[in-house]
Amino acid sequence: MAVSISVVLLLLIIAVIYMRNGALKISHAIICMLLGFFLASSSMAPTIHQGLAATAQIVGGLRP
C-alpha cells in the first residue's frame, strides 16, 4: 500500500506541474490518466467518491 500511495503522490506532483505550465501534451495526458488509475485503486478511492457524490448532490440541489 505504501508503494501505491507514493506513486499516486509522485504522479499528482507531476500532473500539477504540467497543469501549471499550461501546455498539456499527450505525454502529460498519459501521466494524468495513470494518476486516475492509481487513485482508483488506492485506499483513498472511497473518500474521493463520497466527496464527489456529496458535491454533486449539493450542486444538483441548487436552484437558480
Side-chain angles (χ1 to χ4, degrees):
M1 183 55 68
V3 173
S4 69
I5 291 176
S6 299
V7 171
V8 168
L9 290 177
L10 175 66
L11 289 174
L12 178 64
I13 291 169
I14 292 171
V16 168
I17 290 171
Y18 285 152
M19 291 295 183
R20 296 195 104 201
N21 286 341
L24 187 67
K25 299 177 184 173
I26 190 70
S27 61
H28 306 154
I30 291 171
I31 294 291
C32 291
M33 188 173 64
L34 287 174
L35 172 63
F37 282 117
F38 276 108
L39 275 175
S41 66
S42 72
S43 61
M44 296 181 287
T47 305
I48 294 169
H49 183 269
Q50 290 172 353
L52 289 174
T55 303
Q57 185 178 11
I58 290 171
V59 170
L62 293 176
R63 301 282 182 230

